[in-house]
Amino acid sequence: MRLTPSQIERFRAQGFLVLPELFSRQEIAVLRDALPALYAEDTPANIREKRSGEVRTAMGLHLRHPVYRRLVRHPRLIEPAFQLLGDRVYVQQVKINTKAAFEGEVWQWHYDFATHHAEDGVPAPLALNLHIFLDDVSEFNGPLWFIPGSHERGPVPAALDIETTSYPLWCVGRDTVADLVAAGGIVSATGAAGTALIFGDCLVHASPPNLSPWDRRIFSLIVNPIANAYTKTGRPDYKHHRDLTPIAPLADDCLATAPCVAAQ
Amino acid sequence: MRLTPSQIERFRAQGFLVLPELFSRQEIAVLRDALPALYAEDTPANIREKRSGEVRTAMGLHLRHPVYRRLVRHPRLIEPAFQLLGDRVYVQQVKINTKAAFEGEVWQWHYDFATHHAEDGVPAPLALNLHIFLDDVSEFNGPLWFIPGSHERGPVPAALDIETTSYPLWCVGRDTVADLVAAGGIVSATGAAGTALIFGDCLVHASPPNLSPWDRRIFSLIVNPIANAYTKTGRPDYKHHRDLTPIAPLADDCLATAPCVAAQ
């Protein structure tokens, strides 16, 4: 798995890439099968919706399940990251963002570096967010909305929002969003389960609530160059892992041969 | 303006029709120009958002402005209504539903007859809701979502929701919505300003909030057969008008020749 020169060029210009069905239905089934047990765990790494108590975000998964331990070294995620960042990167954060049917809340307009810089002391906006859709994602179940090109303005002003939703988030103000959208528009990142996204640390994005009867679960791996590591450790380690071991990719069939799969 | 037989057949089967750009940009400009003055009025017929105080719904417009007095008799709305309901119908409700940029709230899954029956004592689900988009409506600024065919199940169970939003609404429960969507899916009613919608009193619909920088204003005229009129008058008249005079359509250019337009 290598990005083509035109994909790299598009990533640099727009700030994101959509890779339709990068993972097979069978691989997605392996990832989904692990979820009920993970969601049932009583751990602070399972962050729950304010109103319903359902798991909104399950974090630190590579330390909690053998399938996810493999997924964070999957070459279809890591080889593209090496192309964009060089080959000395570490696992910064590993999670699934769930938007449960009828329940999933809005995420306000934000970009990840605002949090990475303010909370973790990450020096530069280099980290990549690598997503895999675990469900079909449509306009109806809370897709990510990207503002193409918004990363080019560098880190725009942001302020901490602790009121709107269950998860404190550094958000971008309305005037700034209006300016960015006037220039770049909005793109909804939709696709079948197995579709992957790559987006950078300054790309401004949001997502609407899930009013539909369809769950929307997305796996997210954030990788960051070791030379650009955290300088603060105020947040729990499942929000920014401390282990700076360089990621070494596994074989392309690593999910099919994962221990808990082989054992079935 | 007459619906074709295939449009009528589609309306009967799906429960709604989308009529792209039924009104011209110039006609939409006439309708929009009237809004700042109407929204500035301090009247209970302007219903405001719980959080922001912005006008969410402006009602009774045909009694408040000469352009809207004409619009409720516009042949491009009324002739199709005559085809579907016969020619003895009255003006039940006239409003603009605004979803302001960044502010507009969710509308939960509902159908209009639940309210018309419970609140106004309307006997049968015959009323039609005729919409005109006053702004371009996309997936990003809070379009209506229809469940095609949901009207065929007749009035499904509904319960009054006075908590979620600023406007009390008889809502359909999650299990029912899941059943209906499994059968019919969801369709997002989008289009350029000037696009019209026609949908029936039992069609289940919802709409997401408006997180975008784009306002979303939709004009809505509800017409009902005089033989099926209200039997209760508990709600204010701007929610269900008492005047049972049959609607008589005007000429097709009635907006271009409206008094306040001619005076400019």
Side-chain angles (χ1 to χ4, degrees), chain A residues 54 101-103 106-109 139-141 143 145 174-175 177-178 181 185-188 190 206-209 211-214, chain B residues 54 101-103 106-109 139-141 143 145 174 177-178 181 185-188 190 206-209 211-214:
Chain A
E54 294 204 47
F102 297 114
E103 281 290 349
V106 75
W107 289 79
Q108 302 294 340
W109 293 104
E139 70 181 282
F140 299 115
N141 62 349
W145 293 354
R174 293 176 177 190
D175 290 349
V177 170
V181 170
I186 306 176
V187 166
S188 179
T190 58
S207 75
L211 308 182
S212 84
W214 300 304
Chain B
E54 294 205 46
F102 297 113
E103 280 290 349
V106 75
W107 289 80
Q108 301 294 340
W109 292 104
E139 71 181 281
F140 300 114
N141 62 349
W145 293 354
R174 293 177 178 189
V177 170
V181 170
I186 307 176
V187 167
S188 180
T190 58
S207 74
L211 308 183
S212 84
W214 300 305

Side-chain angles (χ1 to χ4, degrees), chain B residues 110-122 125 155-160 169-172 201-202:
Chain B
H110 71 285
Y111 58 97
D112 297 351
F113 182 66
T115 298
H116 300 162
H117 186 66
E119 305 283 347
D120 306 327
V122 170
V156 294
L160 190 61
L169 195 64
W170 287 82
C171 290
V172 178
D201 224 18
C202 282

Side-chain angles (χ1 to χ4, degrees), chain A residues 189-212:
Chain A
T190 58
T195 294
L197 307 177
I198 302 175
F199 60 98
D201 224 18
C202 282
L203 188 75
V204 177
H205 55 287
S207 75
N210 183 0
L211 308 182
S212 84

